[in-house]
Amino acid sequence: MKVSLTVNGRRHDVDVAPNTLLVDVLRGRLGLTGTHVGCDTSQCGACTVHLDGRSVKSCTVLAAQVDGAAVTTIEGIGSPDALHPMQAAFRDCHALQCGFCTPGMIMSAIDLVQNVENLDERKVREGLEGNLCRCTGYHNIVKAVLNAAESM
Amino acid sequence: MSDTGIGKSVKRREDLRFITGRGRYTDDVNRPNQVYAVFLRSPYPRARIVSIDASGADEVAGVIGVFTGKDLSADKIGDLPCGWMVKSKDGSDMKIAPHPPLAVEVVNYVGEPYGIVVAESLAAARDGAEVVATEFEELTPTVSVANATAGAQLHTNVPDNVCYLWELGDADATNAAFAAAAHVTKLTFSNNRLIPNAMEPRAAVASFDAATEEFTLVTTSQNPHLERLILSAFVQLAPEHKLRVIAPDVGGGFGSKIFVYAEETAVAWAARRVGRPVKWTADRSESFLADAHGRDHLTTAELALDGDGLFQGLRVRTRANLGAYLSTFASSVPTYLYGTLLAGQYRTPAIHVEVEGVYTNTAPVDAYRGAGRPEATYVVERLVETAARELKVDPAALRRRNFIAPDQFPYQTPVALEYDTGNYEASLAAALEKSDYANFAARKAASEQRGKRRGIGFSCYIEACGLAPSQLAIQLGAGVGLYESGEVRVNPTGNVTVFTGSHSHGQGHETTFAQVVSDKLGIPFENVEVVHGDTGRVEFGLGTYGSRSIAVGGSALVKATDKIIAKGKRIAAHMMDTNADSVDFSDGEFAARDSNQKLTFGEVAFAAYVPSNYPSSEEPGLSEKAFYDPKNFTFPAGTHIAEVEIDPETGVVDVVNFVAVDDFGRVINPMIVEGQVHGGIAQGIGQALLEHGIYDDGGQLITGSYMDYCMPRADDLPSFDVDMTVTPCTHNPLGVKGCGEAGAIGAPAAIMNAVTDALGVVDLPMPATPERVWRAARG
């Protein structure tokens, strides 16, 4: 089936099987390998992207569902020369080690900052409960999100 | 001193690619014309393979071939070896079960691979695997470690499923200490089985060039050179010079990516067989089933004390689950990485440990962050805390009374190790201060007013990092050396490419190693590039595990850098018309002591490659290699103090404060080191409160997904209070010790000491789940 979607501001028309997942379109068809797959039960959050401005786990969205929608991936929020404040905060606070969970974590964190008022440590921890990180113990991730919330 | 030198919290250079989605992990690699692999895995814990009928798969569109263990055997693909020969106390060799990459006759754990389906697409490979009809004859499995020796025998060459019965220490002296003891504290407990769960699942992309007969294997490895060595020398896949192993960005390892596994072996073989690149990426379910697991001990431990509360003897009996086969370093973890650490920070004069390594019908068990040392710390620190409670002595005071004092180093323990340096009192004192131990009683009373129970727990751990030296380790059964290689290649324009055999999969070596080399050479940090993870670019290496990278890999780079400076002095001396002994090198400048002449590092580098005014005795070029073989382990140590508050109505344990004061020797990048400690603590708290790999009685893994295996999430953990004390390592050039595992080593005992303190119980099994805690709270 044919699906039209806008990814990071660019329109793409793809022909996919009905059971194709959004994450497979992003990684396999569009070469946007910044979005990762870390599990098969929608638990780890490494595949988190924004769909029409809200964070979703792209392993749980069918490509067929996003016809006409706008998707933003980690590649679409900033570049090394012009980092998104959340990207900058992750770097400044050493909120990543192996980097595998990081794109999903950043996309979730941006959604969190944009949609939850008066963030504090507890709210950040609860808000990121759907994103697993095995390296950082979350300590510096929480710090980064609170820092970015100040500047966003 | 520059702001990027040794000791500075330099922001990581690798971050820019990771935070912008430009990291390049194995699954991001695609080859032209590639095909996809899916593995056939055993649904049974123990069964005979009667027949495999692949005719159905052959009819699925896109399926190229279904291959089994017999196909690999026919191509003379060898067994997956275990790299450490442990001897039993009677002098006999450990009993090694044959371990073909793909099972041929019998499968021995759920998830064991016995075939590989290769197809044009992943979907076709999956569809093909679905319709392969395999007939199994189920056999009685031996699942639990407690019943391992009485259960059905897994391997014909391993009676009673005992791989080895190993011992260390002086049994007679230890027994005598117990006979004379004023008090004996005894505990029996398990160390729960864990599943490592690096966030990036294992993956491999293999290609074979028929023209040159060269393999290229891109895979998720912590040590690509070791992978190449094993695949060549033991598995016989290809000669070493015809095999290139690349470990690109790797998304965490924690030990689980040290090992050479069946999957990458079979994928590489298949690439040659089908004549096209083959790609495989584990899904998380496969990771749970077939990554090597960690821990899984049953232990009885006793501590003998005299009338003054001085430790006189320690006796430990452990049964360690090795799983169905010996993974790459499985045999060494519950022996040389465990028994040798049982002295802890204390002067206990007599120690004896016996470890029975057993096979069971479960996934192989091998090193997982800490590897033996968390288990040893748990034994010692649970015993010491319990002894303090039994004797009604302050647990900090009892520890102080038994610490090895700063003036007693070097200190020879009764379990083989010689500690070079340390100051245990300093880290304990700092941790007591930070945790406000003095006011704990008031906080406990306040909790009780709110119907909560508060507890505090200590863990004064020691670890041995940078396993060494090679000669000793090889005498004790290691199959490889334990050195590291480094190369510092100065380019003609004066910038530097550094090649290291260490591998970074989150540790930030591209930053810290550049800090070390730029600091030593007095050149800008930006001018140093660090290359790792590719056998085609790096000469040799043993990779990253056991917190060895900076202590061993970093030291190799210092050695190579020293050679660069020495050659630079000889070149500069010629250019400045003096002799090399009269040239000083500092801050990137060669200065003649007997004149006012100076040359920059860049000028000397350029002269080395454009040798006009150049010493005739020197070869052109400025590139040096070094191998560094440590003289001893390093011994990081510290005190972790956990404070918990328990709600007796729900059994939920809230970690309200976690203090870690660690001595890692000299620190290259404090920001990175603190991050390593945070991550280790999280895994340690995970072991104590949340994580448990469980097989049911029938041998099925019932914690095989993130719905069932309780990974620590952001809202399960507190922020941590981390600090450091410093006693520089005495025997490596940087004075460094290593920091990667400390958190995972110290935290479990601290948490469980706090939980048992809060509940007023002697012991509780890990993980202290709400159900267990709730039941214990009800008495």
Short mmCIF file of all heavy atoms in Angstrom, two decimals, chain B residues 87-125:
data_model
loop_
_atom_site.label_atom_id
_atom_site.label_comp_id
_atom_site.label_asym_id
_atom_site.label_seq_id
_atom_site.Cartn_x
_atom_site.Cartn_y
_atom_site.Cartn_z
N LYS B 87 41.56 -25.74 37.25
CA LYS B 87 41.83 -27.09 37.74
C LYS B 87 41.09 -27.32 39.06
O LYS B 87 41.00 -26.43 39.90
CB LYS B 87 43.33 -27.29 37.96
CG LYS B 87 44.08 -27.44 36.63
CD LYS B 87 45.54 -27.78 36.89
CE LYS B 87 46.36 -27.84 35.61
NZ LYS B 87 45.96 -28.92 34.70
N SER B 88 40.60 -28.55 39.21
CA SER B 88 39.96 -28.91 40.47
C SER B 88 40.99 -29.04 41.57
O SER B 88 42.20 -29.14 41.31
CB SER B 88 39.21 -30.23 40.32
OG SER B 88 38.00 -30.03 39.62
N LYS B 89 40.54 -29.10 42.84
CA LYS B 89 41.47 -29.19 43.97
C LYS B 89 42.28 -30.47 43.94
O LYS B 89 43.38 -30.53 44.49
CB LYS B 89 40.72 -29.03 45.30
CG LYS B 89 39.62 -30.04 45.53
CD LYS B 89 38.74 -29.64 46.73
CE LYS B 89 39.25 -30.29 48.00
NZ LYS B 89 38.28 -30.11 49.10
N ASP B 90 41.76 -31.50 43.25
CA ASP B 90 42.55 -32.74 43.14
C ASP B 90 43.55 -32.69 41.99
O ASP B 90 44.21 -33.68 41.69
CB ASP B 90 41.61 -33.95 43.00
CG ASP B 90 40.82 -33.93 41.70
OD1 ASP B 90 41.07 -33.03 40.85
OD2 ASP B 90 39.94 -34.80 41.51
N GLY B 91 43.66 -31.54 41.35
CA GLY B 91 44.66 -31.38 40.29
C GLY B 91 44.14 -31.70 38.90
O GLY B 91 44.84 -31.46 37.90
N SER B 92 42.93 -32.22 38.81
CA SER B 92 42.41 -32.59 37.49
C SER B 92 41.90 -31.36 36.75
O SER B 92 41.50 -30.36 37.36
CB SER B 92 41.29 -33.61 37.64
OG SER B 92 40.21 -33.07 38.37
N ASP B 93 41.92 -31.46 35.41
CA ASP B 93 41.40 -30.37 34.58
C ASP B 93 39.88 -30.28 34.70
O ASP B 93 39.21 -31.30 34.91
CB ASP B 93 41.74 -30.63 33.10
CG ASP B 93 43.21 -30.40 32.81
OD1 ASP B 93 43.92 -29.84 33.69
OD2 ASP B 93 43.65 -30.78 31.71
N MET B 94 39.37 -29.08 34.54
CA MET B 94 37.90 -28.94 34.51
C MET B 94 37.35 -29.74 33.34
O MET B 94 38.03 -29.98 32.35
CB MET B 94 37.51 -27.46 34.36
CG MET B 94 37.86 -26.83 33.02
SD MET B 94 37.39 -25.08 33.00
CE MET B 94 37.68 -24.70 31.25
N LYS B 95 36.09 -30.16 33.48
CA LYS B 95 35.47 -31.00 32.45
C LYS B 95 34.70 -30.10 31.47
O LYS B 95 33.74 -29.43 31.85
CB LYS B 95 34.56 -32.03 33.10
CG LYS B 95 35.38 -32.96 34.00
CD LYS B 95 34.62 -34.15 34.47
CE LYS B 95 35.56 -35.13 35.15
NZ LYS B 95 36.33 -34.50 36.27
N ILE B 96 35.20 -30.11 30.25
CA ILE B 96 34.67 -29.19 29.24
C ILE B 96 33.64 -29.92 28.38
O ILE B 96 33.97 -30.91 27.70
CB ILE B 96 35.80 -28.66 28.34
CG1 ILE B 96 36.87 -27.97 29.20
CG2 ILE B 96 35.26 -27.71 27.28
CD1 ILE B 96 38.17 -27.68 28.46
N ALA B 97 32.42 -29.44 28.41
CA ALA B 97 31.38 -30.03 27.57
C ALA B 97 31.57 -29.54 26.13
O ALA B 97 31.84 -28.37 25.92
CB ALA B 97 30.01 -29.60 28.07
N PRO B 98 31.45 -30.46 25.16
CA PRO B 98 31.54 -30.01 23.76
C PRO B 98 30.50 -28.94 23.47
O PRO B 98 29.36 -29.05 23.92
CB PRO B 98 31.24 -31.29 22.96
CG PRO B 98 31.43 -32.41 23.91
CD PRO B 98 31.15 -31.88 25.28
N HIS B 99 30.90 -27.90 22.75
CA HIS B 99 29.99 -26.77 22.52
C HIS B 99 30.01 -26.35 21.04
O HIS B 99 30.61 -25.34 20.68
CB HIS B 99 30.40 -25.59 23.41
CG HIS B 99 29.42 -24.45 23.38
ND1 HIS B 99 29.70 -23.24 23.94
CD2 HIS B 99 28.18 -24.33 22.87
CE1 HIS B 99 28.67 -22.41 23.76
NE2 HIS B 99 27.74 -23.07 23.12
N PRO B 100 29.32 -27.13 20.20
CA PRO B 100 29.26 -26.73 18.78
C PRO B 100 28.44 -25.45 18.65
O PRO B 100 27.48 -25.25 19.41
CB PRO B 100 28.55 -27.89 18.11
CG PRO B 100 27.81 -28.60 19.20
CD PRO B 100 28.57 -28.35 20.47
N PRO B 101 28.82 -24.55 17.72
CA PRO B 101 28.08 -23.29 17.59
C PRO B 101 26.59 -23.53 17.36
O PRO B 101 25.77 -22.84 17.95
CB PRO B 101 28.74 -22.62 16.37
CG PRO B 101 30.09 -23.21 16.28
CD PRO B 101 29.98 -24.62 16.80
N LEU B 102 26.26 -24.47 16.49
CA LEU B 102 24.87 -24.86 16.31
C LEU B 102 24.76 -26.30 16.80
O LEU B 102 25.53 -27.17 16.37
CB LEU B 102 24.44 -24.77 14.85
CG LEU B 102 24.48 -23.37 14.21
CD1 LEU B 102 24.04 -23.44 12.75
CD2 LEU B 102 23.62 -22.37 14.98
N ALA B 103 23.81 -26.55 17.71
CA ALA B 103 23.68 -27.89 18.29
C ALA B 103 23.49 -28.92 17.19
O ALA B 103 22.80 -28.66 16.19
CB ALA B 103 22.49 -27.92 19.25
N VAL B 104 24.10 -30.08 17.38
CA VAL B 104 24.03 -31.12 16.35
C VAL B 104 23.09 -32.25 16.78
O VAL B 104 22.13 -32.57 16.08
CB VAL B 104 25.42 -31.69 16.04
CG1 VAL B 104 25.34 -32.77 14.96
CG2 VAL B 104 26.35 -30.57 15.58
N GLU B 105 23.35 -32.83 17.94
CA GLU B 105 22.55 -33.97 18.37
C GLU B 105 21.58 -33.63 19.49
O GLU B 105 20.47 -34.15 19.53
CB GLU B 105 23.47 -35.11 18.82
CG GLU B 105 24.23 -35.72 17.66
CD GLU B 105 25.25 -36.75 18.11
OE1 GLU B 105 25.35 -37.00 19.32
OE2 GLU B 105 25.95 -37.27 17.24
N VAL B 106 22.06 -32.83 20.44
CA VAL B 106 21.26 -32.55 21.63
C VAL B 106 21.24 -31.04 21.86
O VAL B 106 22.25 -30.37 21.67
CB VAL B 106 21.87 -33.25 22.87
CG1 VAL B 106 21.09 -32.92 24.13
CG2 VAL B 106 21.91 -34.76 22.66
N VAL B 107 20.08 -30.54 22.26
CA VAL B 107 19.99 -29.14 22.70
C VAL B 107 19.92 -29.14 24.22
O VAL B 107 19.34 -30.04 24.83
CB VAL B 107 18.77 -28.42 22.10
CG1 VAL B 107 18.99 -28.11 20.64
CG2 VAL B 107 17.50 -29.24 22.30
N ASN B 108 20.53 -28.11 24.82
CA ASN B 108 20.69 -28.13 26.28
C ASN B 108 20.16 -26.89 27.00
O ASN B 108 20.33 -26.78 28.21
CB ASN B 108 22.16 -28.34 26.63
CG ASN B 108 22.51 -29.81 26.68
OD1 ASN B 108 21.86 -30.59 27.38
ND2 ASN B 108 23.50 -30.22 25.90
N TYR B 109 19.57 -25.97 26.30
CA TYR B 109 18.83 -24.90 26.99
C TYR B 109 17.82 -24.30 26.02
O TYR B 109 17.99 -24.36 24.80
CB TYR B 109 19.76 -23.82 27.56
CG TYR B 109 20.58 -23.03 26.58
CD1 TYR B 109 20.14 -21.80 26.09
CD2 TYR B 109 21.84 -23.48 26.15
CE1 TYR B 109 20.91 -21.05 25.20
CE2 TYR B 109 22.60 -22.74 25.28
CZ TYR B 109 22.13 -21.54 24.80
OH TYR B 109 22.89 -20.80 23.92
N VAL B 110 16.78 -23.73 26.61
CA VAL B 110 15.77 -23.09 25.79
C VAL B 110 16.39 -21.88 25.11
O VAL B 110 16.97 -21.02 25.77
CB VAL B 110 14.56 -22.66 26.66
CG1 VAL B 110 13.60 -21.79 25.86
CG2 VAL B 110 13.85 -23.88 27.20
N GLY B 111 16.29 -21.85 23.79
CA GLY B 111 16.89 -20.76 23.03
C GLY B 111 18.21 -21.13 22.39
O GLY B 111 18.77 -20.34 21.62
N GLU B 112 18.71 -22.34 22.68
CA GLU B 112 19.98 -22.74 22.05
C GLU B 112 19.78 -22.84 20.54
O GLU B 112 18.87 -23.50 20.06
CB GLU B 112 20.45 -24.09 22.61
CG GLU B 112 21.78 -24.50 21.98
CD GLU B 112 22.36 -25.79 22.55
OE1 GLU B 112 21.77 -26.36 23.48
OE2 GLU B 112 23.41 -26.21 22.03
N PRO B 113 20.66 -22.22 19.76
CA PRO B 113 20.48 -22.28 18.31
C PRO B 113 20.92 -23.63 17.74
O PRO B 113 21.94 -24.18 18.16
CB PRO B 113 21.39 -21.16 17.80
CG PRO B 113 22.42 -20.97 18.86
CD PRO B 113 21.78 -21.36 20.16
N TYR B 114 20.12 -24.15 16.82
CA TYR B 114 20.51 -25.41 16.16
C TYR B 114 20.41 -25.30 14.65
O TYR B 114 20.70 -26.26 13.93
CB TYR B 114 19.66 -26.59 16.69
CG TYR B 114 18.20 -26.52 16.33
CD1 TYR B 114 17.71 -27.08 15.16
CD2 TYR B 114 17.31 -25.87 17.18
CE1 TYR B 114 16.37 -27.01 14.84
CE2 TYR B 114 15.96 -25.78 16.86
CZ TYR B 114 15.49 -26.35 15.69
OH TYR B 114 14.16 -26.27 15.36
N GLY B 115 20.00 -24.14 14.16
CA GLY B 115 19.94 -23.97 12.72
C GLY B 115 19.86 -22.50 12.37
O GLY B 115 19.60 -21.65 13.22
N ILE B 116 20.12 -22.20 11.10
CA ILE B 116 20.09 -20.82 10.64
C ILE B 116 19.36 -20.79 9.29
O ILE B 116 19.66 -21.60 8.40
CB ILE B 116 21.52 -20.22 10.55
CG1 ILE B 116 21.51 -18.79 10.01
CG2 ILE B 116 22.46 -21.09 9.75
CD1 ILE B 116 22.88 -18.09 10.08
N VAL B 117 18.39 -19.91 9.20
CA VAL B 117 17.63 -19.74 7.96
C VAL B 117 18.09 -18.45 7.31
O VAL B 117 18.10 -17.39 7.96
CB VAL B 117 16.12 -19.67 8.25
CG1 VAL B 117 15.34 -19.52 6.96
CG2 VAL B 117 15.66 -20.90 9.02
N VAL B 118 18.48 -18.53 6.05
CA VAL B 118 18.97 -17.37 5.33
C VAL B 118 18.01 -17.05 4.20
O VAL B 118 17.61 -17.95 3.45
CB VAL B 118 20.39 -17.63 4.76
CG1 VAL B 118 20.90 -16.42 3.99
CG2 VAL B 118 21.35 -17.98 5.89
N ALA B 119 17.62 -15.78 4.11
CA ALA B 119 16.62 -15.41 3.10
C ALA B 119 16.84 -14.01 2.59
O ALA B 119 17.62 -13.24 3.15
CB ALA B 119 15.22 -15.53 3.70
N GLU B 120 16.11 -13.69 1.50
CA GLU B 120 16.26 -12.38 0.86
C GLU B 120 15.78 -11.24 1.74
O GLU B 120 16.21 -10.10 1.58
CB GLU B 120 15.46 -12.35 -0.46
CG GLU B 120 15.92 -13.34 -1.52
CD GLU B 120 17.21 -12.91 -2.20
OE1 GLU B 120 17.63 -11.75 -2.01
OE2 GLU B 120 17.80 -13.76 -2.90
N SER B 121 14.86 -11.53 2.63
CA SER B 121 14.37 -10.49 3.54
C SER B 121 14.23 -11.09 4.93
O SER B 121 14.16 -12.32 5.09
CB SER B 121 13.00 -9.97 3.08
OG SER B 121 12.02 -10.98 3.26
N LEU B 122 14.17 -10.20 5.92
CA LEU B 122 13.98 -10.68 7.28
C LEU B 122 12.64 -11.39 7.42
O LEU B 122 12.53 -12.44 8.07
CB LEU B 122 14.08 -9.49 8.24
CG LEU B 122 13.98 -9.80 9.73
CD1 LEU B 122 15.05 -10.79 10.17
CD2 LEU B 122 14.10 -8.51 10.54
N ALA B 123 11.64 -10.83 6.76
CA ALA B 123 10.31 -11.44 6.84
C ALA B 123 10.33 -12.86 6.26
O ALA B 123 9.75 -13.80 6.83
CB ALA B 123 9.29 -10.58 6.11
N ALA B 124 11.00 -13.02 5.13
CA ALA B 124 11.07 -14.35 4.51
C ALA B 124 11.84 -15.32 5.40
O ALA B 124 11.46 -16.50 5.53
CB ALA B 124 11.73 -14.25 3.13
N ALA B 125 12.90 -14.83 6.03
CA ALA B 125 13.68 -15.70 6.92
C ALA B 125 12.81 -16.15 8.10
O ALA B 125 12.85 -17.30 8.52
CB ALA B 125 14.93 -14.98 7.40
#
